[in-house]
Amino acid sequence: GRVPSDATVLFDGSHLGGWQGRDGEAKWKAESYFMEVVPGTGDIQTRRGLGDGQYHLEWRAPHIVKGESQGRGNSGVFLMTLYEIQVLDCRDNPTYADGTTAAIYGQFPPLVNACRKPGEWQSYDILWTGPRFDGERLLTPAFVTVIHNGIAVQHHREIQGPTRHRQATSYQAHAAELPLKLQDHGDLVRYRNIWHRAFGGETP
Ligand code: MG
């Protein structure tokens, strides 16, 4: 796909220079036009902070299907390093509802299963408005709309707080811009064509 003229390209397929891993350098594989999780090397995140806007990512679950439920093609897109939109191979792969593909992990299932077959590229367009704080106090929570392969699967959902697994969550004050993080969950998930467009003007 073409990149809009007002977008910041976060990964164009050539190198991981704009990304870092837990010990500094991002240790995932970047080759030809995509990056791929190298299991055990940890999550990676952009060097720059990002806030409100449209996040576009394309991802691909491994074409060799193995594992089941959360063990199949698992990764994740963490907005502002804290709030996960699940990446999973959910084609013929039952799992718990708020852990399936395009779920706001641990909070809201998607409206519909829009998954393509494993091995096929899929897209996420994530419209994100981050939380606002006044000192330590939450003023407004984050809101997210997720479009998976052109299908709206989350519509203006109010995020309850940072992603937790089977636990209540609550906000902790943080900066207005934080890195975009991708999850190493041990599966050979690939990403390509990642960009962000900041929303101009006022947001609530
Ligand atoms: Mg995940």
Side-chain angles (χ1 to χ4, degrees), residues 77-86 104-105 107 128 130-131 133 142 159-163 169-174 178 180-181:
V77 176
F78 281 78
L79 288 316
M80 307 190 83
T81 72
L82 296 170
Y83 310 97
E84 185 184 14
I85 307 300
Q86 175 69 308
I104 299 166
Y105 187 85
Q107 300 183 22
W128 175 255
F133 301 94
I159 303 275
Q160 296 169 340
T163 299
T169 181
S170 60
Y171 283 95
Q172 302 276 317
H174 59 66
L178 289 171
L180 175 69
K181 186 172 85 171

Side-chain angles (χ1 to χ4, degrees), residues 70 73-78 84-88 99 105 183 185:
Q70 295 291 302
N74 195 334
S75 180
V77 176
F78 281 78
E84 185 184 14
I85 307 300
Q86 175 69 308
V87 169
L88 194 71
Y105 187 85
Q183 185 183 43
H185 201 284

